[in-house]
Amino acid sequence: MNDGLEGIVAASTRLSRVDGEAGQLTLAGYAVEDLAPRASFEEVAYLFLHGRLPEPAELSRFAQDLAARRVLPGAAIAVLRESAAAQAPPMDSLRMAAAALGLGREENPWEDAMAAIASFPTIVGVYWRLRQGEPPVPVRSDLPHAAHFLHQLSGVAPSPGRVRALETYLNTVCDHGLNASTFAARVIVSTRSDVISAITGAVGALKGPLHGGAPGPALNMVFEIGAAERAETVIRAMLDRGERLMGFGHRVYRVRDPRADVLAQAAERFYSSGGDRSLYDLARSVESTALRLLRERKPDRRLDTNVEFYTALLLHGLGLPVELFTPTFAVGRVLGWAAHCLEQLREGRLIRPQSVYIGPVGLAYHGVPVH
């Protein structure tokens, strides 16, 4: 019996392959370290939705089509106003607004997929500005996808360096095998439900801390240490107390998470051209100390740096508050959810696993019949 379905093959996909033993992530045929730092988000989106990279003219048309779908329906705006007024958590707000994307439209898998991918940056931006008591930023269709997200948050057109950093992040996290949220989306759409319902369910799955991760705590550890010379003392004390070091180790990867390498390089480029370089240097010192002590204390386990550590460093450098780390992850991962939904509709069947009953049998009911 396998209550978590670990090791059970539940779907075939052309979208991504996770090799935990070798520390490799393949995105639609391309190694993550080759594709994510170099491609635009629009190129990766086209690749996932069409199965190949676009020609220049195709990319231009696709980018324009995606940008034209950024404006939210009135129902979604109303939901975001109410949720911001109630100080609802960002992931709850994203889930409720995502569900409103299908209101007043005919169900169409392709249209729903494109609408979700295009709308998520707007949803997060509108919600956050309303939550801060500021008016939403008018949508601009002339900005690339990653730049649009940063503009929705700040109202300022971002620098190329900031755009490249965020774009690398979104590309890196856009898909990662049959994780919990992607599986949830595929199960929902396998019933021939609509893509918006499936993506809404995926947001609900991502909200859970066992899936959404802990990039915030990974950064908090760096701030708590504060200075490189304190790293060994603080980390040794944490390990003595049996605490987990956030940002290290992964359920799938038995070696270093390849996404961590991509984001480490992206963070180095970003902090070299702007941002607080001292924070970057401190984080690298904390990382090297943590890895050394983990190998000393737990030599039988491979606890390498995972994607959360450099996610925290990169998103913090871009000025995003910790509360928006997981919603920003969703801005990238919605591409994978949408592509998996379309793939499941094309090639899959109803996902209906079996369960093993472990309760009692043979009980007799002795109550009084109801007349």
Side-chain angles (χ1 to χ4, degrees):
M1 185 173 66
N2 189 324
D3 288 341
L5 299 182
E6 187 170 348
I8 303 299
V9 175
S12 298
T13 181
R14 295 177 174 85
L15 297 172
S16 66
R17 183 186 68 181
V18 181
D19 187 335
E21 295 298 327
Q24 296 174 347
L25 171 61
T26 301
L27 298 176
Y30 297 85
V32 64
E33 59 269 24
D34 181 34
L35 185 71
R38 300 164 61 194
S40 68
F41 178 84
E42 286 83 351
E43 284 180 289
V44 176
Y46 190 100
L47 170 66
F48 266 67
L49 297 176
H50 291 276
R52 61 176 177 83
L53 288 172
E55 298 295 332
E58 292 173 324
L59 178 60
S60 178
R61 288 193 298 270
F62 178 80
Q64 290 174 13
D65 184 18
L66 193 66
R69 303 169 187 266
R70 291 172 177 166
V71 176
L72 301 180
I77 296 287
V79 165
L80 292 171
R81 289 192 184 280
E82 291 293 328
S83 65
Q87 298 287 293
M91 286 300 291
D92 284 338
S93 303
L94 177 59
R95 171 179 50 79
M96 291 184 285
L101 293 176
L103 191 63
R105 304 163 20 127
E106 260 188 57
E107 291 180 12
N108 179 296
W110 176 264
E111 296 293 324
D112 288 349
M114 291 288 284
I117 296 165
S119 297
F120 267 40
T122 314
I123 290 173
V124 177
V126 167
Y127 162 80
W128 191 247
R129 290 187 67 85
L130 290 171
R131 174 85 176 262
Q132 306 308 305
E134 299 175 343
V137 176
V139 168
R140 284 177 53 177
S141 60
D142 61 321
L143 293 174
H145 191 79
H148 160 64
F149 180 43
L150 293 171
H151 182 258
Q152 281 289 296
L153 291 171
S154 69
V156 177
S159 67
R162 291 170 63 81
V163 173
R164 182 64 258 174
L166 179 62
E167 199 159 40
T168 298
Y169 172 73
L170 297 179
N171 292 345
T172 299
V173 303
C174 71
D175 199 47
H176 196 247
L178 207 57
N179 54 83
S181 57
T182 298
F183 184 55
R186 289 193 77 130
V187 169
I188 293 169
V189 87
S190 80
T191 70
R192 294 303 184 262
S193 184
D194 62 291
V195 170
I196 294 299
S197 291
I199 287 174
T200 303
V203 175
L206 180 62
K207 178 188 170 186
L210 294 186
H211 179 24
L219 189 64
N220 290 342
M221 182 178 70
V222 174
F223 285 138
E224 179 188 345
I225 290 171
E229 57 270 19
R230 295 188 66 242
E232 180 143 1
T233 301
V234 173
I235 294 173
R236 280 193 184 279
M238 292 176 69
L239 294 174
D240 288 342
R241 294 191 297 268
E243 295 181 19
R244 179 188 168 197
L245 300 187
M246 308 308 290
F248 297 89
H250 193 277
R251 182 173 179 177
V252 174
Y253 291 109
R254 302 307 177 208
V255 293
R256 188 175 170 91
D257 186 336
R259 300 170 300 172
D261 287 333
V262 174
L263 297 185
Q265 292 169 13
E268 183 173 20
R269 285 193 300 271
F270 176 75
Y271 280 96
S272 294
S273 59
D276 183 357
R277 177 73 194 198
S278 63
L279 175 62
Y280 173 79
D281 292 337
L282 172 61
R284 291 306 300 261
S285 179
V286 168
E287 180 192 22
S288 63
T289 302
L291 291 174
R292 174 169 54 81
L293 294 179
L294 284 169
R295 289 182 182 123
E296 173 189 307
R297 295 290 187 92
K298 303 179 181 183
D300 57 328
R301 297 182 62 189
R302 288 300 302 269
L303 294 172
D304 283 293
T305 313
N306 65 33
V307 70
E308 294 168 357
F309 188 85
Y310 281 102
T311 287
L313 188 61
L314 192 60
L315 296 186
H316 175 79
L318 287 169
L320 273 67
V322 171
E323 286 179 278
L324 291 188
F325 284 6
T326 303
T328 301
F329 178 92
V331 168
R333 183 57 60 87
V334 67
L335 169 58
W337 295 335
H340 274 273
C341 286
L342 296 178
E343 185 177 64
Q344 181 69 34
L345 288 171
R346 285 194 309 268
E347 304 172 16
R349 54 182 292 186
L350 176 66
I351 298 174
R352 179 37 170 108
Q354 298 294 310
S355 61
V356 176
Y357 178 70
I358 58 172
V361 296
L363 301 180
Y365 177 74
H366 299 295
V368 179
V370 178
H371 297 289

